[in-house]
RNA sequence: GCGCCAGUAGCUCAGCAGGAUAGAGCAGCAGCCUUCUAAGCUGCGGGUCAGGGGUUCGAAUCCCUUCUGGCGUGCCA
């Protein structure tokens, strides 16, 4: 990476000059192009420890730096910045490296194979996935893809909450719908029950295959049977929705199975050993306040059943037991009260709570015609993930979900996502890719596309727009590392928009295919071909398609 | 009340973990298709970075505080 190369040069010079460099300094791309291609603050940062004025320090560093031919110009500017203007040949060499890397460009072993578990969605299996789940799916999956590319060993998991109250209510709701179908008068549908149409559909399906036989079972067997049926159906439904969204999980972990395997008891015994449990009001409590929570939490309710917390904690324990050293939970906006107790339990069991990392996704508001679309889960009036994908398509949905940072509310404009014009950033970016494809097609038709691009063509790429595109391409490896470290996939969207803008402008300003000389055309085609490849890499990370034509 | 998150152009949002004159898209106005896709490009206007204090060479960015909005504060999940 260019920044690293410059940073290394600087360190070299500092050592040669005997300048102490305890403090870290940076090399960055200035936001003002008049400040060079790259800029370093090293003279200002190191001034104090060397007891020199920033400017005089900078002057001696620059004198030494100028011996290197990679730079066209090096300037001292402002309060002591060192600004670097790179020689075109330097950019051209960088570009050639990017080309040679091909599809492997911007892969690295940066993550050192660290096992990271990404848990996301983990919605109740009691209905279709909603749009917050869709956001979580896009976010989690893209983060996964980026982390994998830069050398982590990430894994995606979905925790199935297939035990307990909600599932019981689901079974009861199904039973009522079934009885309805068989002509029973059931009166008003209970408030707490699941009102969604999908329950009726399940009932119809079951009625068609099993009919009255369901009611010949004992009540206990019947409820179990209904539960199993509904869970299997709904899980399949959720899995399908996710597949349509190009999100595939590496593991689906069932709460019910965990309970059967005894992990829950294991967790309880650890908490008990840590001497942080007690009994009160017929319930068993976890003294989480000992570890920073603001109130103690119930582990076992007075009716003898566990709270949601205990099996979930057991699940987290299995993550550690399976060798994951970083556990990332991607939660919806309504769970942050839950974190202190999870952390407290980690501490109590002797694990470093820093292993546990929580990312909160804020809520999603749908807008249509400038009006907020109101949703009500209780009344079964929700816009589901499937609805959204059917309406705006996978590409637009994934793009818009990724384009916002996690902890910001997301206003999803349905009309905008549907627009096939310049107002819609998804199309803007995909169009840039399609444009390149069509230029390449034309070049092949006009027979100026070479069998292979010769390295000598590089010197033809010297327009400022061309060098800027190369610089942008060269940013990607570092960007992916930053995205992985800071868990910020939204930066992919910013990147692809900037790159796309550069391509559209380049297209408008320069003739590619019928440029004055064949060599010049080929040089530009070479640049575009590589840009296309880099764009495809980014689109793939975002899980959206890279269309050849639009 | 307490806790978490947010507040940047008319709107939707970036801002590279402290850098130089705060950016982009949309909306508004004015232009550009006999030429590789006009789903594009060019130009113009638009800001008390919610307010106030602090830290330092330097703050939208870090600390404190006030205000506004969202969410949470179950023996629900």
């Amino acid at each position: 990476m260019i920044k690293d190369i410059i940073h290394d040069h600087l360190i070299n010079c500092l050592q040669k000059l005997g300048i102490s460099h305890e403090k870290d300094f940076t090399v960055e791309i200035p936001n003002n192009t008049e400040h060079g291609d790259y800029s370093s603050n090293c003279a200002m940062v190191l001034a104090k420890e060397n007891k020199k004025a920033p400017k005089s320090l900078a002057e001696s560093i620059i004198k030494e730096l100028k011996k290197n031919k990679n730079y066209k110009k090096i300037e001292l500017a402002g309060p002591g910045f060192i600004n670097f203007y790179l020689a075109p040949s330097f950019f051209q060499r960088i570009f050639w490296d990017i080309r040679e890397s091909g599809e492997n460009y911007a892969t690295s072993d940066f993550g050192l194979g660290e096992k990271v578990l990404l848990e996301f969605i983990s919605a109740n299996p009691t209905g279709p996935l909603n749009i917050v789940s869709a956001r979580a799916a896009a976010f989690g999956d893209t983060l996964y893809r980026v982390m994998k590319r830069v050398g982590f060993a990430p894994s995606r998991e979905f925790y199935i909450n297939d035990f307990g109250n909600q599932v019981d209510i689901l079974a009861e709701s199904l039973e009522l719908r079934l009885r309805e179908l068989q002509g029973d008068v059931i009166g008003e549908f209970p408030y707490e029950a699941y009102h969604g149409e999908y329950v009726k559909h399940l009932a119809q399906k079951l009625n068609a295959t099993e009919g009255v036989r369901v009611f010949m079972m004992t009540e206990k067997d019947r409820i179990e049977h209904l539960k199993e049926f509904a869970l299997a159906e709904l899980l399949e439904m959720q899995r399908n929705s996710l597949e349509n969204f190009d999100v595939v999980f590496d593991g689906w972990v069932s709460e019910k199975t965990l309970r059967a395997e005894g992990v829950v008891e294991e967790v309880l015994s650890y908490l008990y050993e840590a001497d942080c449990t007690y009994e009160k009001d017929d319930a068993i409590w976890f003294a989480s306040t000992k570890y920073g929570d603001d109130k103690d939490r119930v582990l076992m309710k007075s009716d003898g059943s566990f709270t949601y917390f205990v099996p979930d904690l057991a699940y987290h324990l299995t993550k550690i037991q399976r060798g994951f050293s970083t556990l990332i939970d991607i939660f919806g906006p309504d769970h942050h009260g839950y974190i202190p107790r999870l952390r407290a339990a980690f501490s109590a069991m002797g694990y470093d709570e820093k292993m546990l990392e929580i990312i909160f996704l804020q809520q999603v508001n749908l807008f249509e015609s400038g009006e907020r679309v109101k949703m009500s889960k209780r009344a079964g009036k929700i816009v589901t993930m499937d609805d959204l994908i059917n309406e705006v398509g996978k590409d637009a949905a994934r793009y818009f979900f990724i384009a916002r940072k996690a902890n910001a509310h997301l206003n999803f404009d349905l009309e905008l996502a549907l627009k096939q014009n310049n107002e819609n950033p998804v199309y803007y970016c995909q169009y840039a890719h399609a444009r390149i494809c069509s230029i390449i097609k034309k070049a092949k038709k006009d027979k100026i596309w070479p069998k292979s691009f010769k390295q000598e063509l590089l010197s033809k790429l010297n327009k400022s727009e061309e060098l800027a595109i190369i610089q942008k391409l060269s940013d990607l490896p570092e960007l992916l590392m930053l995205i992985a470290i800071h868990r910020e996939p939204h930066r992919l969207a910013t990147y692809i928009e900037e790159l796309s803008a550069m391509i559209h402008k380049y297209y408008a300003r320069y003739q590619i295919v019928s440029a004055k000389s064949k060599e010049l055309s080929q040089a530009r085609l070479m640049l575009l071909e590589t840009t296309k490849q880099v764009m495809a890499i980014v689109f793939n990370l975002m899980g959206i398609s890279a269309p050849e034509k639009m």
Side-chain angles (χ1 to χ4, degrees), chain A residues 13-39:
Chain A
C13 290
L14 294 171
Q15 274 162 357
K16 257 185 208 165
L17 297 167
I19 296 170
S20 128
H21 50 277
E22 299 282 314
K23 278 183 88 174
D24 285 337
F25 57 87
T26 59
V27 174
E28 11 187 84
I29 301 173
N31 39 32
N32 185 336
T33 51
E34 286 168 29
H35 296 143
D37 300 315
Y38 290 87
S39 173

Side-chain angles (χ1 to χ4, degrees), chain A residues 163-166 168 259 268 279-285 297-311:
Chain A
F163 192 100
N165 248 336
Q166 303 304 319
D168 293 344
R259 285 172 180 259
L268 278 182
E279 207 176 324
K280 194 181 87 180
D281 304 332
D282 297 326
I284 296 175
W285 295 69
R297 308 292 173 173
V298 171
L299 298 170
M300 188 186 279
K301 306 183 218 170
S302 51
D303 67 1
S305 65
F306 295 120
T307 55
Y308 171 82
F309 178 45
V310 185

